[in-house]
Amino acid sequence: MSRTLRGKLQPVGPRPPWARAVTRWLLTHTDALVESDRIQLKAVLANCPQLDVLAKHVRAFAHMVTDLQGDQLPERIESTRAATGLPSLSRFAQHLERDLDAVVAGLSQPWNSGVVEGHVDRIKMLKRQMFGRTGFELLRKRVLLAK
Protein backbone atom coordinates (compact mmCIF):
# COMPACT_ATOMS: atom_id res chain seq x y z
CA MET A 1 0.00 0.00 0.00
CA SER A 2 1.19 3.55 -0.70
CA ARG A 3 0.33 6.90 0.71
CA THR A 4 0.06 10.19 -1.15
CA LEU A 5 2.45 13.07 -0.46
CA ARG A 6 1.96 16.18 -2.62
CA GLY A 7 0.16 14.15 -5.27
CA LYS A 8 2.92 11.52 -5.59
CA LEU A 9 2.72 7.97 -4.38
CA GLN A 10 5.24 7.21 -1.66
CA PRO A 11 6.11 3.64 -0.63
CA VAL A 12 5.24 2.60 2.87
CA GLY A 13 7.90 0.82 4.88
CA PRO A 14 11.63 0.99 5.21
CA ARG A 15 13.69 2.26 2.32
CA PRO A 16 15.64 -0.48 0.52
CA PRO A 17 19.42 -0.26 0.84
CA TRP A 18 21.49 1.40 -1.87
CA ALA A 19 23.09 -0.84 -4.48
CA ARG A 20 26.53 0.42 -3.45
CA ALA A 21 25.89 -0.52 0.15
CA VAL A 22 24.82 -4.05 -0.82
CA THR A 23 27.91 -4.35 -3.05
CA ARG A 24 30.14 -3.28 -0.17
CA TRP A 25 28.47 -5.79 2.13
CA LEU A 26 28.98 -8.58 -0.40
CA LEU A 27 32.64 -7.71 -0.95
CA THR A 28 33.48 -7.33 2.74
CA HIS A 29 34.30 -10.37 4.84
CA THR A 30 31.31 -11.10 7.05
CA ASP A 31 33.44 -10.95 10.20
CA ALA A 32 34.46 -7.38 9.32
CA LEU A 33 30.88 -6.14 8.87
CA VAL A 34 29.16 -4.09 11.55
CA GLU A 35 26.26 -5.96 13.15
CA SER A 36 23.63 -3.67 11.60
CA ASP A 37 25.12 -4.19 8.12
CA ARG A 38 25.21 -7.95 8.68
CA ILE A 39 21.52 -7.95 9.60
CA GLN A 40 20.59 -5.85 6.59
CA LEU A 41 22.62 -8.11 4.29
CA LYS A 42 20.82 -11.19 5.63
CA ALA A 43 17.48 -9.49 4.95
CA VAL A 44 18.50 -8.55 1.40
CA LEU A 45 19.76 -12.06 0.64
CA ALA A 46 16.58 -13.59 2.07
CA ASN A 47 14.45 -11.45 -0.28
CA CYS A 48 16.47 -12.14 -3.44
CA PRO A 49 17.50 -15.76 -4.15
CA GLN A 50 19.64 -14.78 -7.18
CA LEU A 51 21.62 -12.37 -5.03
CA ASP A 52 22.08 -15.08 -2.42
CA VAL A 53 23.54 -17.43 -5.06
CA LEU A 54 25.75 -14.61 -6.34
CA ALA A 55 26.97 -13.87 -2.80
CA LYS A 56 28.03 -17.50 -2.33
CA HIS A 57 30.01 -17.42 -5.59
CA VAL A 58 31.62 -14.08 -4.72
CA ARG A 59 32.69 -15.32 -1.30
CA ALA A 60 34.12 -18.56 -2.72
CA PHE A 61 36.05 -16.61 -5.36
CA ALA A 62 37.33 -14.12 -2.76
CA HIS A 63 38.49 -16.99 -0.54
CA MET A 64 40.32 -18.50 -3.50
CA VAL A 65 42.01 -15.17 -4.33
CA THR A 66 43.06 -14.26 -0.80
CA ASP A 67 44.40 -17.73 -0.01
CA LEU A 68 46.18 -18.07 -3.39
CA GLN A 69 44.28 -21.23 -4.34
CA GLY A 70 44.35 -20.80 -8.13
CA ASP A 71 44.26 -24.57 -8.65
CA GLN A 72 40.57 -24.45 -7.61
CA LEU A 73 39.65 -22.08 -10.46
CA PRO A 74 38.45 -24.72 -12.96
CA GLU A 75 36.10 -26.14 -10.30
CA ARG A 76 34.84 -22.63 -9.50
CA ILE A 77 34.20 -21.97 -13.19
CA GLU A 78 32.19 -25.20 -13.52
CA SER A 79 30.08 -24.40 -10.45
CA THR A 80 29.50 -20.91 -11.84
CA ARG A 81 28.30 -22.33 -15.15
CA ALA A 82 25.92 -24.61 -13.25
CA ALA A 83 24.29 -21.58 -11.59
CA THR A 84 21.14 -20.83 -13.51
CA GLY A 85 19.65 -17.37 -13.77
CA LEU A 86 22.96 -15.51 -13.53
CA PRO A 87 24.08 -14.80 -17.13
CA SER A 88 26.60 -12.11 -16.17
CA LEU A 89 28.34 -14.52 -13.79
CA SER A 90 28.52 -17.12 -16.57
CA ARG A 91 30.05 -14.50 -18.91
CA PHE A 92 32.63 -13.66 -16.22
CA ALA A 93 33.57 -17.33 -15.99
CA GLN A 94 33.76 -17.55 -19.79
CA HIS A 95 36.18 -14.61 -19.89
CA LEU A 96 38.36 -16.23 -17.24
CA GLU A 97 38.65 -19.33 -19.41
CA ARG A 98 40.09 -17.34 -22.31
CA ASP A 99 43.51 -17.33 -20.66
CA LEU A 100 43.04 -19.92 -17.96
CA ASP A 101 46.74 -20.72 -17.46
CA ALA A 102 47.63 -17.06 -16.80
CA VAL A 103 44.69 -16.56 -14.43
CA VAL A 104 45.55 -19.73 -12.47
CA ALA A 105 49.19 -18.59 -12.24
CA GLY A 106 48.10 -15.13 -11.09
CA LEU A 107 45.89 -16.64 -8.40
CA SER A 108 48.56 -19.11 -7.27
CA GLN A 109 51.79 -17.12 -7.16
CA PRO A 110 52.62 -14.62 -4.40
CA TRP A 111 54.23 -12.29 -6.96
CA ASN A 112 52.50 -9.28 -8.50
CA SER A 113 53.34 -6.38 -10.79
CA GLY A 114 52.22 -3.64 -8.39
CA VAL A 115 55.65 -1.97 -8.16
CA VAL A 116 56.04 -1.88 -11.93
CA GLU A 117 52.53 -0.47 -12.38
CA GLY A 118 53.36 2.27 -9.86
CA HIS A 119 56.39 3.32 -11.90
CA VAL A 120 54.37 3.26 -15.12
CA ASP A 121 51.69 5.48 -13.54
CA ARG A 122 54.36 7.91 -12.32
CA ILE A 123 55.93 8.14 -15.80
CA LYS A 124 52.51 8.71 -17.39
CA MET A 125 51.80 11.49 -14.89
CA LEU A 126 55.11 13.19 -15.72
CA LYS A 127 54.41 12.85 -19.43
CA ARG A 128 50.93 14.41 -19.00
CA GLN A 129 52.38 17.31 -17.00
CA MET A 130 54.92 18.07 -19.71
CA PHE A 131 52.72 17.50 -22.78
CA GLY A 132 53.33 20.19 -25.40
CA ARG A 133 55.82 22.11 -23.26
CA THR A 134 59.19 20.62 -24.03
CA GLY A 135 61.00 17.82 -25.77
CA PHE A 136 61.97 14.28 -24.99
CA GLU A 137 65.32 15.18 -23.37
CA LEU A 138 63.75 17.07 -20.45
CA LEU A 139 61.14 14.33 -20.01
CA ARG A 140 63.98 11.77 -19.91
CA LYS A 141 65.83 13.75 -17.23
CA ARG A 142 62.69 14.16 -15.12
CA VAL A 143 61.93 10.44 -15.30
CA LEU A 144 65.49 9.46 -14.38
CA LEU A 145 65.87 12.04 -11.60
CA ALA A 146 62.40 11.75 -10.06
CA LYS A 147 62.08 9.61 -6.95
Side-chain angles (χ1 to χ4, degrees):
M1 180 178 267
S2 301
R3 61 179 174 215
T4 305
L5 180 68
R6 295 187 203 173
K8 295 182 182 180
L9 291 177
Q10 298 295 321
V12 176
R15 180 178 228 163
W18 296 98
R20 285 185 183 212
V22 175
T23 303
R24 182 178 55 83
W25 299 337
L26 288 175
L27 296 177
T28 303
H29 196 281
T30 51
D31 296 339
L33 285 174
V34 181
E35 186 63 28
S36 61
D37 290 347
R38 197 175 303 137
I39 292 169
Q40 285 182 311
L41 177 61
K42 280 185 181 180
V44 167
L45 295 180
N47 288 327
C48 183
Q50 292 93 355
L51 195 58
D52 190 31
V53 171
L54 177 69
K56 290 175 183 167
H57 284 288
V58 167
R59 289 203 177 99
F61 189 77
H63 178 69
M64 183 180 61
V65 170
T66 54
D67 293 343
L68 295 176
Q69 298 173 342
D71 56 322
Q72 296 178 358
L73 184 64
E75 298 162 15
R76 285 276 112 228
I77 289 175
E78 286 306 314
S79 69
T80 300
R81 285 182 187 257
T84 58
L86 299 171
S88 54
L89 194 60
S90 297
R91 281 192 302 272
F92 174 70
Q94 182 182 3
H95 288 289
L96 288 177
E97 281 185 325
R98 285 185 180 173
D99 199 6
L100 186 63
D101 292 335
V103 177
V104 168
L107 294 175
S108 303
Q109 303 295 321
W111 316 107
N112 65 51
S113 61
V115 175
V116 174
E117 291 297 325
H119 289 300
V120 169
D121 288 345
R122 182 179 53 84
I123 290 170
K124 286 181 180 180
M125 185 251 333
L126 289 170
K127 187 177 174 183
R128 274 193 303 271
Q129 285 177 344
M130 296 180 59
F131 182 76
R133 295 193 177 131
T134 185
F136 178 73
E137 286 302 316
L138 184 57
L139 175 63
R140 181 176 168 270
K141 285 181 183 177
R142 281 195 69 189
V143 168
L144 293 175
L145 295 175
K147 292 184 179 182

